[in-house]
Amino acid sequence: MKYNRTYNFSAGPATMPEEVLEEVRDEMMNYRGSGMCVMEMSHRSKVYQQIIDEAEQDLRDLMGIPDNYKVLFIQGGATLQFSMIPMNLMKNGKAVYIETGAWSKKAIAEAKKVGEVIVAASSKDKNYTYIPDCSDLDIPEDTDYVYICENETIHGVTWNKLPNTKGHVLVSDQSSMFLSKPCNVSDYGVIYGGVQKNIGPAGLAIVIIREDLIRDDLTDLPIYLQYKTHADNGSMYNTPNCWAIYVCGKVFKYLKKLGGLEEMEKINIDKAKVFYDFLDQSKLFKGTVVPEDRSLMNIPFVTGDPDLDAEVIAYTKKAGFENLKGHKSVGGLRASIYNAMPKDGVIALVDCLKKFEAEH
């Protein structure tokens, strides 16, 4: 049965691989002979334990996660991690943050409630349209960690070269570029991401944390907010987001079958090039980010006229393209082209925008 699917350019929750959705549909009423949907089964059952174990192993395979890192599935999305990171990692009560857009800005605000935050570099001066030079940051010796948002969903900037942390732990929010390209996990102390952009359903964050950063002296911190709780209990201290973990596991298998993250990166580069090439030659539309720091996942662009931007949104929606309105905090337009967005969708959108430009 074929469904009438739209091209969905939402920044999250976002489009998912159709192959995965079809598998989920086929198992909805009876997961592999269990007589139950995954949403109904006990998280303590053998059948669910196999689901979460396989999901973790497939993620480890995809990213090459070393044995001295724990993989945690935690509810609350990435926003909860803005607080959990400083609560768990601030031993000396001090951290360095790089401000590159809306999400790193929010993380800074939350960390300030826990300890001292030093904003060592910022691109606020040019409305977060570039990644600042972080090759020689002023990092105090007693800094607990250095924090970045590796891909800013709203402002569409991405890190192509990690900051020089001068031996300090690097923490990265990878929410909107998670599994879009290979990642050397050993470069980081913590990698985390909300899964609803590039992997699965909303309501779950995956945290990959080096074991030596998991503390057992945080006895005053609420039990759910301690990484140790999740690490010691295999992400099953309480009922986890069983459904999201199950769907994420399907996406991990899909990516492995595709050829892994090296293959995914090639597809993403090829796909983004179609859109950026169009923006670079267009007389009406222009991208907002400096070319060297452009995201492969989130592409903000503008006409320069808010009324015309609104016309574009209405025009593209009528043509069958959804969620091209820029974030309310910045306006303009934005196309999120995550892993599951096919190249055909990008080509079709570019053709539609060319038609609009010709008519205006």
Side-chain angles (χ1 to χ4, degrees):
M1 179 177 179
K2 289 307 285 180
Y3 292 90
N4 186 20
R5 303 265 299 160
T6 187
Y7 285 126
N8 174 19
F9 292 90
S10 169
T15 193
M16 290 183 59
E18 289 194 7
E19 185 180 314
V20 168
L21 294 176
E22 285 166 353
E23 269 187 45
V24 168
R25 175 200 64 198
D26 293 345
E27 293 176 347
M28 180 68 78
M29 299 303 288
N30 184 355
Y31 175 75
R32 300 187 183 178
S34 67
M36 290 174 281
C37 171
V38 172
M39 276 190 273
E40 302 171 298
M41 64 179 57
S42 167
H43 62 296
R44 304 291 180 202
S45 64
K46 279 185 180 174
V47 66
Y48 190 76
Q49 189 64 52
Q50 186 181 357
I51 288 171
I52 193 170
D53 288 348
E54 274 189 31
E56 178 179 335
Q57 190 55 56
D58 286 336
L59 180 62
R60 285 183 176 276
D61 294 345
L62 272 172
M63 295 183 74
I65 299 172
D67 292 342
N68 65 324
Y69 283 74
K70 291 282 189 186
V71 174
L72 312 176
F73 298 101
I74 303 177
Q75 296 182 58
T79 297
L80 181 60
Q81 296 309 311
F82 296 164
S83 304
M84 280 184 75
I85 294 285
M87 284 174 172
N88 283 267
L89 300 190
M90 274 193 180
K91 272 189 176 178
N92 300 317
K94 187 182 290 184
V96 163
Y97 279 65
I98 317 300
E99 185 185 34
T100 52
W103 295 110
S104 47
K105 190 177 174 184
K106 286 191 176 187
I108 288 165
E110 290 301 293
K112 281 179 176 175
K113 296 172 184 176
V114 181
E116 183 186 349
V117 172
I118 298 158
V119 180
S122 173
S123 56
K124 190 178 181 180
D125 62 328
K126 292 184 181 172
N127 197 28
Y128 308 120
T129 53
Y130 71 102
I131 297 290
D133 178 10
C134 294
S135 57
D136 188 23
L137 297 170
D138 186 10
I139 304 174
E141 198 50 49
D142 59 347
T143 296
D144 291 310
Y145 60 89
V146 176
Y147 180 104
I148 63 171
C149 177
E150 204 162 333
N151 188 88
E152 289 277 3
T153 321
I154 291 172
H155 289 91
V157 290
T158 201
W159 290 73
N160 290 308
K161 186 183 180 190
L162 295 176
N164 176 6
T165 65
K166 301 183 175 173
H168 293 84
V169 170
L170 178 62
V171 175
S172 176
D173 173 1
Q174 288 193 357
S175 294
S176 54
M177 44 84 75
F178 206 43
L179 302 185
S180 64
K181 63 179 186 176
C183 172
N184 184 21
V185 176
S186 301
D187 289 342
Y188 307 80
V190 181
I191 294 167
Y192 77 88
V195 303
Q196 75 279 8
K197 299 174 185 302
N198 221 9
I199 312 168
L204 177 71
I206 294 173
V207 178
I208 301 163
I209 180 168
R210 210 171 63 213
E211 286 178 349
D212 63 296
L213 297 173
I214 299 172
R215 294 164 62 184
D216 56 10
D217 62 334
L218 296 168
T219 49
D220 292 337
L221 190 61
I223 195 85
Y224 193 82
L225 299 179
Q226 298 178 36
Y227 287 130
K228 181 173 168 53
T229 302
H230 302 280
D232 287 353
N233 292 281
S235 298
M236 294 252 210
Y237 175 75
N238 66 333
T239 309
N241 189 333
C242 299
W243 180 255
I245 294 166
Y246 156 73
V247 180
C248 287
K250 295 267 184 214
V251 173
F252 301 155
K253 287 190 187 300
Y254 164 81
L255 288 169
K256 284 176 83 173
K257 193 168 90 175
L258 196 70
L261 302 188
E262 289 82 4
E263 192 57 35
M264 194 68 250
E265 182 182 33
K266 284 181 199 164
I267 292 167
N268 285 329
I269 289 170
D270 183 46
K271 194 166 62 180
K273 187 177 185 301
V274 172
F275 207 98
Y276 285 123
D277 282 354
F278 160 68
L279 290 180
D280 289 342
Q281 60 79 39
S282 172
K283 290 182 172 59
L284 179 61
F285 299 101
K286 72 174 185 11
T288 58
V289 175
V290 299
E292 59 270 27
D293 298 328
R294 285 169 164 174
S295 169
L296 294 179
M297 299 284 101
N298 311 101
I299 306 178
F301 59 108
V302 292
T303 63
D305 176 351
D307 292 335
L308 197 54
D309 289 344
E311 269 190 61
V312 175
I313 292 159
Y315 184 90
T316 52
K317 188 176 177 67
K318 196 175 175 187
F321 303 96
E322 292 286 346
N323 297 306
L324 284 157
K325 189 176 181 179
H327 191 270
K328 61 188 178 189
S329 64
V330 294
L333 305 146
R334 174 178 53 170
S336 291
I337 53 170
Y338 297 122
N339 285 357
M341 172 57 66
K343 185 179 177 181
D344 286 352
V346 179
I347 291 169
L349 175 60
V350 164
D351 287 345
C352 181
L353 293 172
K354 281 179 178 173
K355 193 175 170 209
F356 180 91
E357 182 168 352
E359 291 170 11
H360 288 74

